[in-house]
Amino acid sequence: MNLDGEINSEEFVKFIKRLTENTFITVSQGLILTLVVAPTVALATKRATEGVPGVGKVVQKIPNSIYASLITMAIVMFQKSQLDSDY
């Protein structure tokens, strides 16, 4: 870093890399959770709740794709609320 009081392009690139070094990892983990794990968990919980009296009949009527989408959307909203509360 020079002491001229201005930032050049090289200093800017170094600054941005330091600022965002953990962002890629965090975003990647969130995407993996949301796009792979959440639908899998949703379908597993659907199968588990199909035998529960009262709830099971309602869950059975919901198509797998809709159920998985609803659970995934709920997880995304939960993740977003956690991020919002961190700042």
Side-chain angles (χ1 to χ4, degrees), residues 33-73:
L33 174 68
T34 303
L35 300 176
V36 177
V37 177
T40 304
V41 170
L43 294 178
T45 58
K46 182 179 182 200
R47 287 188 199 105
T49 56
E50 285 177 345
V52 176
V55 177
K57 290 184 180 185
V58 174
V59 171
Q60 286 176 343
K61 291 180 182 180
I62 301 172
N64 287 344
S65 59
I66 301 294
Y67 189 81
S69 297
L70 289 172
I71 298 300
T72 302
M73 193 168 29

